[in-house]
Amino acid sequence: MLSHHEQLIEKSKKYLWLPFTQMKDYEKDPLIIESGEGVKLKDTEGKLYYDGFSSVWLNVHGHRKKELDEAIRVQLEKIAHSTLLGMTNVPATELAERLVNLTPPGLDRVFYSDSGATSVEIALKMAFQYWRNIGETKKQKFVTMNNGYHGDTVGAVSVGDIDVFHKVYKPLMFNSYKTPYPYTYRHPSNQAEVCRDECLNELETLLKERHEEIAALIVEPMMQGAGGMIKMPKGFLSGVSKLCKAYDVLLITDEVATGFGRTGELFACNHEGVVPDIMTAGKGLTGGYLPIAITMTSERIYEAFYDDYTKLKAFFHGHSYTGNQLGCAVALANLDLFESEKIVENVQQKSKVIQETLTKFHELNHVGDIRQIGFMTGIELVKNKQTKEPFQWEERMGYQVSLKMRELGMLTRPLGDVIVFMPPLASTTEELQEMMSIMYEAIYTTTERDRS
Ligand SMILES: *Cc1c(COP(=O)(O)O)cnc(C)c1O
């Protein structure tokens, strides 16, 4: 007789197809989460793991947070879902006001959707149609950063640039202009300012030449996430923003990963006082509870769509679950907790703890670069620290290290050979320290001890 756990494993292998997963890997090392509490997850065998990646960059206050659970229960007593097409609901309306007040001034309108990718699709279509609606029909192209990531729907993939994920879909994509992203560690100068200025110059050349056909530029502010946790040099984001303004190109900042406190500011744009024309966010918005995402924009863009119906300027876009009440209710409770539990301050203070502890990691023989902003960290492993030569990709060193971490009691997913550390924003110093010891141990054993 199979135990309940074993039955579930069998079913998962037989019926499921998991995202971003080679199912052959899953079959070798299956895992089913049964419950969660605070910053820990429990599997169907009762083994506990630190949620070292916030369940893929979402979780803020830990799991089963009393106030968030309660907000959903209270909303459930009223209604679970009704549509936002042509009407609205109570929490979606309240949340919109809160968001307009919290986001950089000038972002005055909220358009809801249900995932980061859809919030990006909306941003792209909104920017494209904005120029049409005001009669600038030549502005149709997008600029995106090398190595950028904006989600997995076809539009979002078209402004993405991660070869492993995106190359195969090339024939499906619309063309966008790529501009270099400042990856200091891999820049010949290894100097942030030199790398930054070179990238800004290249962008300026492109915009000077092509701005008449460019609708918008999209960028992940301060830290490129899925591309490998690559942190921008100071002054790059504000430089990009200035160039966009100078050449009349809309700036879309994709805050899906960086938004809601992750980088130590409520939004990553705040680090450099940048106000985009369009901003997307998702992930942390509901504290990691439910799928709500937002695309916010200025009154100027909104007004270009506002007219008599027969002018056909309306934004013909929406999703079945747009503005879902349960999601908006939990987002409101999440924002309350940001205030009452001083989450952004917590990230600012504790990120210093992370930074200090991580300096020790430099003594490891295969840690090439450590990039951190707030609670968003990437550790790039290399075969040779001096030459920065990477490991053979077939070795899957990042993946091996993550499997080791799992054995030692922490879950996270690497990005190639970049180890990701993105704990829930409410993690305590003690929890952070324990998670980082697991990380240290896993990197050491996998890259050094067991290989020599
Ligand atoms: C995760 C992510 C997305 C996609 O969000 P989903 O909710 O997974 O569709 C888009 N942009 C960035 C920067 C992200 O990190």
Side-chain angles (χ1 to χ4, degrees), residues 371-390:
R371 302 181 284 266
Q372 183 214 352
I373 183 167
F375 272 27
M376 197 169 185
T377 301
I379 300 173
E380 184 167 338
L381 304 176
V382 289
K383 187 167 173 189
N384 184 321
K385 253 169 118 135
Q386 275 66 49
T387 62
K388 304 183 182 179
E389 184 199 347

Side-chain angles (χ1 to χ4, degrees), residues 345-361:
E345 289 87 333
N346 188 63
V347 172
Q348 285 170 359
Q349 280 160 17
K350 309 252 161 73
S351 64
K352 291 188 196 127
V353 175
I354 297 179
Q355 194 188 348
E356 276 158 31
T357 309
L358 287 179
T359 52
K360 202 167 74 99
F361 284 53

Side-chain angles (χ1 to χ4, degrees), residues 300-356:
R300 170 176 78 129
I301 290 180
Y302 172 80
E303 275 167 9
F305 292 76
Y306 182 91
D307 210 332
D308 294 327
Y309 181 81
T310 50
K311 300 273 168 55
L312 295 178
K313 286 186 176 176
F315 191 42
F316 294 107
H317 187 108
H319 301 278
S320 308
Y321 285 98
T322 293
N324 172 263
Q325 278 99 325
L326 293 175
C328 289
V330 77
L332 281 164
N334 175 41
L335 295 178
D336 287 341
L337 286 171
F338 263 84
E339 279 175 34
S340 62
E341 305 203 341
K342 300 194 167 44
I343 292 298
V344 175
E345 289 87 333
N346 188 63
V347 172
Q348 285 170 359
Q349 280 160 17
K350 309 252 161 73
S351 64
K352 291 188 196 127
V353 175
I354 297 179
Q355 194 188 348
E356 276 158 31

Side-chain angles (χ1 to χ4, degrees), residues 283-297:
K283 293 197 168 113
L285 166 60
T286 61
Y289 265 57
L290 284 164
I292 297 276
I294 48 171
T295 307
M296 295 192 55
T297 192

Side-chain angles (χ1 to χ4, degrees), residues 105-154:
L107 293 173
D108 300 325
R109 292 278 168 180
V110 182
F111 197 102
Y112 287 109
S113 58
D114 46 30
S115 71
T118 51
S119 75
V120 168
E121 296 289 333
I122 289 161
L124 299 176
K125 287 173 73 178
M126 204 178 256
F128 181 88
Q129 193 177 339
Y130 164 75
W131 292 113
R132 304 227 126 196
N133 281 4
I134 65 165
E136 297 268 357
T137 49
K138 276 199 300 195
K139 281 169 107 52
Q140 298 189 4
K141 295 270 196 229
F142 292 91
V143 179
T144 178
M145 300 277 157
N146 285 348
N147 212 34
Y149 176 79
H150 300 288
D152 300 321
T153 51
V154 173

